[in-house]
């Protein structure tokens, strides 16, 4: 796909120009990061710089600007497609026909036997389409399915190829469908026969959800999908005699082997190619022997093989020709090279000589002899050498790999070689897990993952190797989690738990202290589900862990897991698709209590105490919670949970209990104490190793610390923790969640540019997430809507308010954050009576929506609205508000401003302006100067204009 070229100002760097060009293609930050091999945060930095340098208001305007400035560049580099090491020969008619079919039809399957040349033809067609203009402007992607052994991994494999990351709260398949829904692109899926049963349903979902996406698949058999149009790939043409495509391929490959054939032999090559039925792989393998055997030797050898095989039970003549050449090529090898060919067939991804030495280097081979053997096999075209900066790797074509696997079984070496392969995978996984996740970590994981998954699939299918498969699954889960592949991490932890069941003697490789490996794996799976914001899965997995612990005789562990399940149902109630019934959760809590009763275990006692605070006292303000609970009782229960968790020495449990305490204190109106408890969570988790459970806890802790800091007017801390949340690698693909508190903090202080830049990431990510509803997203959307209102952009404000309706709940917006942000805008516009109406309910009537972090702002704005609207109770409201907000610098300045406005105290207004500025609230400082009148009003207007906000009211 030609990339648009944008003529940038000279002040724009080369990297910024690349980012700008991709913005012109309307790619998301995550897609740009994947295309340029840089981080999402780096893309955001470049986008912010471009907004400033090009003086455009927001990211969408920047994308439009880039697209308008773009012009076609025919010489632009083609998309990243696998680059064959040899030239493509012939297939002129097939290339044209297949390209036309792919352009006109939704799904084309290139069908043919192994070795006919399906992959090379598909790559040639993909490159041709990518170089053209207009057919698929959003890209051409190639996905090799050879390493995929589990149909459930299809979506993740395709997502990785096209640069789509995981989204908390949704499966990777959902994220992929959402990302490709509007794209006009071509997806090439190679070797679909590997997972044929899974490809059909996957493609049906994909093409139904993505109406502009086209797919070119290669397979040995049709896929039987509703959209499928089959293109039968024929053998190479032998028409034209010695000028045919088949002869041309032989001559080109024979020359590449080091001894160009004399042109006079072309006529005799015709007969040879006829014997090989024009099969591309067979012709290439034969040509590789030209330099050593000559035409007579080739003809004699192949004639013998074909005569022997002519009556065999092969499926087709074409299959016979490939089998014949493979048999013949194999028989020409020495014993050592035959052994090497069949043993390296266990590798599904390109492998190094060192890896081959570890796996295949046993009698009659030695590890030292393997490197030479790999070179000889590559010379015979039985392996392909892939030079790279990191060293040469080798790979067999899938047809040859399957042939080698058959020979491995015939030699009775399958189990030994597979076991050695699994051991190599484990060793490599341990080494990778011990390294920091640096810039090349993901590339090293990707190079290993295919073989690790394949080794796991083989081991899991052999009952005698279940303990080995368990360890493989556990290591793969750990690496997937480290690489932020959360969906696979959860899947592999659950697989490890299933493999561990029934093996009483198994010792957990994760921790020597784990008495029940299955329960431990399920706990990790629950932690990953939490990181993904899948409440239903967290609840299910904690229950399953409890049952596994009970079966293993671990009563303390069972009590902890059951208590965790009950806690999750209330603590993360907004993340459930279907909330368990209140009676059901009460029953789980009761069972946790009974199980923990006879056990003197501090951790179990702490878990039960936290569950009681959640379920019985609604410390977390759950969706299904009881609004009539006693606030002081809730605080007492939460404090007990904190004390017990600290006694147990479990930082993650202590952080969760502090979260309950923070929530309980808000219901009691103790905002500063709530913020203190939330802040302590960050300290408690500071030195905790990264596990699924601790990572989930840290994500929540940063969000709550940012929110509660904002609630008490510590705006610098709110932004600092909001930035830490946004910078978490685990949240790189979920900018709507990661940036939500940054948007709130930036909007409140009047940082319009920060809101515009952050809002773009928020919107892009939220769209890719499938427009998830989440309680944490409504405040961010309402805050952005307020900023657009302050800028006078009513269309943009309306768009963000429409988003609010989808992101949160109506009651939250009506009585909580929406009242605060709407009232700020109304007061800015001088509509005091409307602001007063917006804040009409007494705080006690709407406590559940305002008492968490909005209480201070609600009462302060209510007091000021009463003053400006001439409400008879204005003085009383000021007095009441002053008591509530004492200690909050920004809210106190607003109450002081209300008092000064009531008495016409200009010096008081100027003091309030200084207090706002000291609190970091630039917008309110400027507005206060405007309200002070006279020359102060001019300074206030200038300050508002500098902030990018409209002067009104």
């Amino acid at each position: 796909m030609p990339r648009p070229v944008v003529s940038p100002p000279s002040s724009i760097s080369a990297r910024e120009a690349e980012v700008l060009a991709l913005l012109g293609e309307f790619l998301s930050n995550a897609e740009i990061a994947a295309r340029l091999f840089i981080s999402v945060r780096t893309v955001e930095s470049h986008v912010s710089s471009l907004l400033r340098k090009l003086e455009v208001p927001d990211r969408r305007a920047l994308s439009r600007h880039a697209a308008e400035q773009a012009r076609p560049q025919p010489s632009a580099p083609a998309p990243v497609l696998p680059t064959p090491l040899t030239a493509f020969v012939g297939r002129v008619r097939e290339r044209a026909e297949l390209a036309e079919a792919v352009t006109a039809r939704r799904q084309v399957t290139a069908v043919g036997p192994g070795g006919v040349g399906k992959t090379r033809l598909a790559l040639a067609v993909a490159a041709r389409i990518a170089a053209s203009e207009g057919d698929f402007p959003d890209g051409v992607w190639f996905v090799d399915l050879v390493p995929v052994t589990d149909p459930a991994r299809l979506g993740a494999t395709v997502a990785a190829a096209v640069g789509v990351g995981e989204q908390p709260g949704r499966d990777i398949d959902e994220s992929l469908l959402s990302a490709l829904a509007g794209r006009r692109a071509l997806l090439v899926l190679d070797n679909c026969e590997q997972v044929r049963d899974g490809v059909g349903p996957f493609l049906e979902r994909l093409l139904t959800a993505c109406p502009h996406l086209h797919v070119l698949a290669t397979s040995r058999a049709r896929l039987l999908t509703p959209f499928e149009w089959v293109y039968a790939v024929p053998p190479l043409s032998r028409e034209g005699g010695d000028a045919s495509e088949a002869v041309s391929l032989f001559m080109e490959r024979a020359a590449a082997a080091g001894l160009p054939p004399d042109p006079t032999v072309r006529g005799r090559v015709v007969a040879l190619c006829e014997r090989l039925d024009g099969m591309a792989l067979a012709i290439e393998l034969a040509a590789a022997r030209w330099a050593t055997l000559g035409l007579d030797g080739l003809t004699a050898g192949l004639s013998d093989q074909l005569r022997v095989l002519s009556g065999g039970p092969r499926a087709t003549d074409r299959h016979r020709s490939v089998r014949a050449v493979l048999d013949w090529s194999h028989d020409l090898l020495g014993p050592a090279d035959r052994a090497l060919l069949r043993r390296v067939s266990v590798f599904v991804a390109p492998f190094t000589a060192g890896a081959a030495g570890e796996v295949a280097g046993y009698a009659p081979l030695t590890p030292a002899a393997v490197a030479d053997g790999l070179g000889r096999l590559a010379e015979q075209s039985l392996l392909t050498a892939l030079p790279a900066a990191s060293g040469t790797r080798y790979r067999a074509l899938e047809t040859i790999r399957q042939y080698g696997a058959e020979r491995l079984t015939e030699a009775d070496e399958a189990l030994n070689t597979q076991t050695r392969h699994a051991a190599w995978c484990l060793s490599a996984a341990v080494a990778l897990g011990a390294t920091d996740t640096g810039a090349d970590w993901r590339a090293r994981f990707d190079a290993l993952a295919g073989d690790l998954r394949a080794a796991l699939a083989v081991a899991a299918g052999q009952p005698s190797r279940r303990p080995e498969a368990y360890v493989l699954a556990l290591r793969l889960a750990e690496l997937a989690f480290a690489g932020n592949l959360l969906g696979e991490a959860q899947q592999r932890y659950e697989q490890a738990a299933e493999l561990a069941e029934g093996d009483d003697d198994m010792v957990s490789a994760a921790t020597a202290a784990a008495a029940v490996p299955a329960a431990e794996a399920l706990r990790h799976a629950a932690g990953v589900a939490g990181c993904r914001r899948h409440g239903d899965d967290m609840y299910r997995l904690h229950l399953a862990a409890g049952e596994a612990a009970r079966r293993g005789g671990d009563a303390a562990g069972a009590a902890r897991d059951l208590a965790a399940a009950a806690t999750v149902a209330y603590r993360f109630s907004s993340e459930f698709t279907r909330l368990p019934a209140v009676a059901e959760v009460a029953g789980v809590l009761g069972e946790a209590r009974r199980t923990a009763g006879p056990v003197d275990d501090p951790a179990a006692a702490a878990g039960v105490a936290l569950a009681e605070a959640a379920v019985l006292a609604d410390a977390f303000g759950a969706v299904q919670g009881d609004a009539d609970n006693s606030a002081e009782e809730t605080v007492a229960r939460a404090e007990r949970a904190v004390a017990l968790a600290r006694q147990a020495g479990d930082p993650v449990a202590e952080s969760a209990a502090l979260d309950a305490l923070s929530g309980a204190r808000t219901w009691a109106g103790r905002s500063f104490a709530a913020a203190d408890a939330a802040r302590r969570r960050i300290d408690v988790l500071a030195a905790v190793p990264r596990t699924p459970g601790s990572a989930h806890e840290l994500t929540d802790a940063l969000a709550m610390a940012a929110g509660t800091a904002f609630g008490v007017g510590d705006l610098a801390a709110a932004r600092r923790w909001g930035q830490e949340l946004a910078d978490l690698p685990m949240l790189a693909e979920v900018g709507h969640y990661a940036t939500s508190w940054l948007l709130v903090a930036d909007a409140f202080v009047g940082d319009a540019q920060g809101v515009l830049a952050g809002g773009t990431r928020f919107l892009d990510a939220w769209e890719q997430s499938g427009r998830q509803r989440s309680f944490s997203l409504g405040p961010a959307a309402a805050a952005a809507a307020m900023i657009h209102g302050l800028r006078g952009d009513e269309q943009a404000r309306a768009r963000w308010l429409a988003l609010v309706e989808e992101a949160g709940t109506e009651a939250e917006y009506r009585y909580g954050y929406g009242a605060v942000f709407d009232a700020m805008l109304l007061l800015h516009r001088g509509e005091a009576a409307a602001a007063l109406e917006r804040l009409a309910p007494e705080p006690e009537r709407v406590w559940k929506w305002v008492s968490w972090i909005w209480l201070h702002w609600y009462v302060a704005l209510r007091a000021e609205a009463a003053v400006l609207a001439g409400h008879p109770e204005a003085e009383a409201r000021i007095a009441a508000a002053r008591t509530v907000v004492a200690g909050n610098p920004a809210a106190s300045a607003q109450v002081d401003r209300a008092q000064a406005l009531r008495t016409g105290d200009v010096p008081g207004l100027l003091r309030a302006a200084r207090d706002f500025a000291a609190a970091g609230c630039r917008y309110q400082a400027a507005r206060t100067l405007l309200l002070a009148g006279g020359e102060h009003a001019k300074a206030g207007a200038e300050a508002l204009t500098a902030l990018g906000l409209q002067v009104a009211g």
Side-chain angles (χ1 to χ4, degrees):
M1 178 183 63
R3 180 178 296 175
V5 176
V6 179
S7 300
S10 58
S11 61
I12 291 179
S13 69
R15 179 61 88 185
E16 287 172 343
E18 289 182 309
V19 172
L20 185 62
L22 294 173
L23 286 168
E25 297 180 30
F26 297 93
L27 300 184
S28 71
N29 287 353
E31 291 168 320
I32 294 173
R35 190 79 69 87
L36 298 180
F37 300 99
I38 57 179
S39 70
V40 174
R41 289 293 304 156
T42 301
V43 176
E44 292 171 4
S45 176
H46 288 317
V47 170
S48 297
S49 176
L50 289 166
L51 287 169
R52 185 178 66 257
K53 291 179 179 180
L54 295 178
E55 299 180 345
V56 292
D58 54 42
R59 186 182 187 281
R60 295 190 174 193
L62 188 63
S63 295
R64 288 194 296 271
H65 170 84
E68 290 166 1
Q69 295 293 317
R71 56 183 173 82
Q73 185 185 13
S75 60
V80 179
L81 292 170
T83 304
L85 299 179
T86 54
F88 188 81
V89 176
R91 301 282 198 189
V92 175
R93 177 179 58 80
E94 291 93 329
R95 276 186 282 177
E97 290 175 348
L98 194 52
E100 181 181 358
V102 166
T103 303
R105 302 175 188 277
R106 297 294 312 285
Q107 183 211 328
V108 176
T109 304
V111 172
V116 77
K118 301 183 295 296
T119 297
R120 291 297 301 270
L121 177 60
L123 275 172
V125 170
R128 171 176 176 167
I129 289 174
S132 67
E133 298 180 23
D135 292 330
F136 300 104
D138 291 325
V140 178
W141 294 293
F142 181 90
V143 186
D144 184 4
L145 299 184
V146 165
V148 182
T149 56
D150 181 358
R153 294 291 307 159
L154 275 169
T157 302
V158 175
V162 304
V164 174
E166 294 192 357
Q167 301 275 346
R170 45 197 337 235
D171 293 331
I172 189 64
D173 285 20
E174 295 178 75
S175 298
L176 176 66
L177 298 183
S178 178
L180 299 182
R183 296 303 176 88
R184 295 183 179 275
L186 173 64
L187 184 64
V188 182
L189 298 181
D190 193 33
N191 291 301
C192 290
E193 67 273 2
Q194 288 292 111
V195 278
R196 182 168 172 251
D197 291 342
V199 170
F202 171 76
L203 283 180
E204 189 169 349
R205 293 194 306 273
L206 182 70
L207 292 173
T208 300
C210 308
H212 306 298
L213 185 71
H214 288 221
V215 171
L216 169 58
T218 73
S219 176
R220 297 189 182 190
R222 59 179 302 185
L223 302 177
L224 303 175
T225 58
F227 298 93
E228 185 176 36
W229 190 82
V230 175
Y231 182 85
V233 178
L236 284 168
S237 171
R238 280 92 74 202
E239 295 179 5
D242 61 5
S244 70
E245 291 180 345
V247 171
S248 297
L249 176 65
F250 180 93
M251 298 294 283
E252 200 275 336
R253 297 295 190 263
L259 184 64
D262 189 301
T264 59
V265 305
R266 294 181 72 103
R268 297 171 61 197
V269 172
V270 173
L272 181 67
C273 291
E274 281 292 344
R275 286 186 174 276
L276 298 177
D277 296 313
M279 297 294 284
L281 175 59
I283 291 171
E284 294 201 20
L285 289 172
R289 293 283 183 175
W290 164 263
T292 55
L293 296 179
L295 189 58
D296 290 342
L298 288 173
T299 302
L302 288 174
S303 295
D304 289 343
Q305 286 290 328
L306 290 172
R307 186 167 55 251
V308 169
L309 292 171
S310 61
R314 304 299 183 192
T316 66
D317 287 340
R318 294 173 188 172
H319 276 113
R320 280 209 298 273
S321 65
V322 175
R323 168 71 63 170
V325 175
L326 287 172
D327 284 339
W328 171 74
S329 297
H330 176 268
D331 291 345
L332 290 174
L333 298 174
D337 287 351
R338 293 181 194 175
L340 181 58
L341 180 65
R342 64 180 178 259
R343 291 174 187 178
V344 297
S345 68
V346 296
F347 290 100
V348 298
F351 55 89
T352 64
E358 291 187 43
V359 173
Y362 63 94
L365 297 176
T366 64
V370 166
D372 288 341
L374 293 174
R376 288 191 295 273
L377 292 177
E379 289 172 0
Q380 305 306 322
S381 294
L382 292 167
L383 292 180
T384 300
L386 305 170
S390 59
T392 300
R393 290 178 178 267
Y394 297 87
R395 185 173 196 173
L397 292 176
E398 180 59 14
T399 300
I400 296 175
R401 196 180 74 82
Q402 291 179 5
Y403 179 85
E406 291 178 8
R407 289 288 187 170
L408 190 67
T409 300
E410 292 171 3
D412 198 24
E413 293 179 345
L415 180 59
N416 189 11
T417 308
Q418 290 164 356
T419 302
R420 294 173 68 93
H421 178 242
W424 171 81
C425 287
L426 278 176
S427 176
V430 170
L432 183 60
T435 61
D436 293 332
T437 53
D440 67 335
W441 190 94
R442 181 59 183 272
R444 288 185 288 136
F445 170 78
D446 290 339
L448 172 64
D451 278 292
L452 194 52
R453 293 173 184 130
L456 170 58
V458 172
Q462 300 174 9
S464 63
R465 299 179 66 197
R466 282 174 70 91
E468 180 184 3
Y470 165 79
V471 179
L472 284 165
L474 203 62
R475 292 297 181 218
L476 181 52
E478 291 166 352
L479 291 177
F481 181 73
N484 298 314
L485 298 175
L486 303 186
E488 180 169 15
Q490 181 181 329
Q491 174 196 356
R492 299 306 178 183
Y493 277 124
E494 292 195 53
Q495 185 179 13
E498 182 180 348
L499 289 164
E501 288 285 2
D503 287 283
D504 297 333
D505 297 330
M506 185 181 296
V507 178
S508 169
T511 162
V516 184
E520 188 69 12
L522 288 166
R523 289 172 196 134
H524 286 313
V528 179
C531 294
R532 301 175 70 201
R533 306 185 74 195
H534 284 200
D536 305 74
D537 279 357
M538 287 185 73
Y539 180 73
R540 170 181 62 82
L541 290 164
H542 277 302
L543 288 177
E547 182 58 31
R550 190 200 310 276
R551 287 196 300 271
D554 181 10
R560 292 196 305 272
D561 293 321
L562 292 170
T567 300
V568 161
Y570 276 68
R571 186 182 179 195
F572 301 108
S573 58
S574 65
E575 297 175 10
F576 277 72
T577 302
R578 185 197 67 81
L579 273 173
V582 171
E584 177 186 333
V585 178
V588 173
L589 174 56
E591 185 61 25
R593 285 166 149 173
R594 287 188 292 274
T595 305
V599 180
D600 183 16
D601 184 83
V608 170
L610 179 59
E612 290 172 341
V615 178
L616 304 180
D618 192 25
F620 299 106
V623 173
Q624 72 274 37
D626 185 352
D628 296 329
N629 289 329
S630 164
E632 291 307 320
E633 176 195 350
T634 306
V635 170
R637 286 187 180 275
E639 287 175 338
R640 179 172 179 269
V642 172
L644 288 171
R646 188 175 298 130
Q647 179 185 342
D650 186 342
V652 174
E654 184 177 349
S655 171
L658 284 168
D659 190 28
L661 181 59
S662 178
R665 286 173 172 174
T666 63
W667 312 142
R670 297 160 58 186
S671 300
F672 291 97
D676 178 68
R679 183 169 57 250
R680 282 163 57 194
R681 295 178 66 191
I682 306 297
D683 297 334
V684 166
L685 295 169
V688 176
R690 186 176 187 263
T691 66
S694 67
H696 177 223
E697 194 64 35
L698 179 61
T699 301
D700 184 74
L702 287 171
M704 295 303 100
T708 54
F710 169 81
V712 297
D714 190 350
L715 302 178
R719 197 180 197 290
R720 182 173 69 253
W721 283 316
Q723 188 66 61
E724 285 189 39
L725 181 69
D727 288 343
L728 287 178
M730 191 168 61
L731 302 180
E733 301 294 339
V734 283
H736 56 300
Y737 178 73
T739 61
S740 56
W741 286 112
L742 276 180
L743 281 177
V744 171
D746 285 346
F748 201 82
V749 302
D751 183 358
Q753 286 304 311
V755 171
L756 293 176
T760 297
R761 179 184 175 191
F762 181 100
L763 285 175
D764 286 347
W766 191 61
E767 290 287 349
Q768 288 191 24
S769 78
R771 304 173 76 88
Q772 277 182 294
R773 179 180 292 275
S774 172
F775 289 2
S776 65
L777 306 183
M786 181 193 73
I787 283 293
H788 285 291
L790 294 176
R791 297 178 73 239
D793 187 343
E794 286 305 307
Q795 286 188 335
R797 171 171 164 75
R799 287 196 298 271
W800 279 96
L801 288 179
L803 187 152
V804 169
E805 294 179 4
E806 293 188 60
T809 66
E810 194 279 333
E812 279 188 296
Y813 176 74
R814 180 63 190 162
Y815 300 115
Y817 60 82
V820 169
F821 290 121
D822 286 354
M824 285 179 66
L825 177 59
L826 291 168
L827 290 174
H828 176 85
R829 293 173 170 173
E831 300 175 28
L836 188 64
E837 177 62 25
R838 190 70 177 85
L839 300 165
E842 296 287 340
E844 294 78 9
R845 284 180 50 208
V846 292
W847 70 272
K848 189 164 186 175
W849 294 279
V850 303
S851 65
W852 177 42
I853 65 169
W854 310 107
L855 178 62
H856 289 191
W857 313 115
Y858 189 90
V859 298
L861 285 162
R862 198 163 181 267
E864 183 171 304
V867 169
L868 293 174
H871 194 280
E873 296 181 5
E875 189 64 39
R877 290 189 179 185
I878 290 174
R882 196 177 299 283
T883 300
V884 172
V885 305
N888 180 326
S892 293
Q894 187 153 26
V895 175
D896 291 340
R897 183 171 71 187
Q899 184 66 56
L901 287 169
R902 177 169 171 75
T903 60
D905 179 7
V906 174
L909 288 172
L910 298 180
R911 284 194 300 274
R914 290 192 294 272
D915 290 343
F916 275 125
C921 205
R922 291 173 290 166
Y923 160 68
Q924 293 291 8
R927 182 169 177 270
T928 306
L929 292 175
L930 194 68
L931 291 170
E935 287 299 313
H936 306 302
K938 180 181 178 183
E942 291 173 352
L944 286 172
T945 301
L947 289 171
L949 304 177
Q950 190 178 63
V951 179

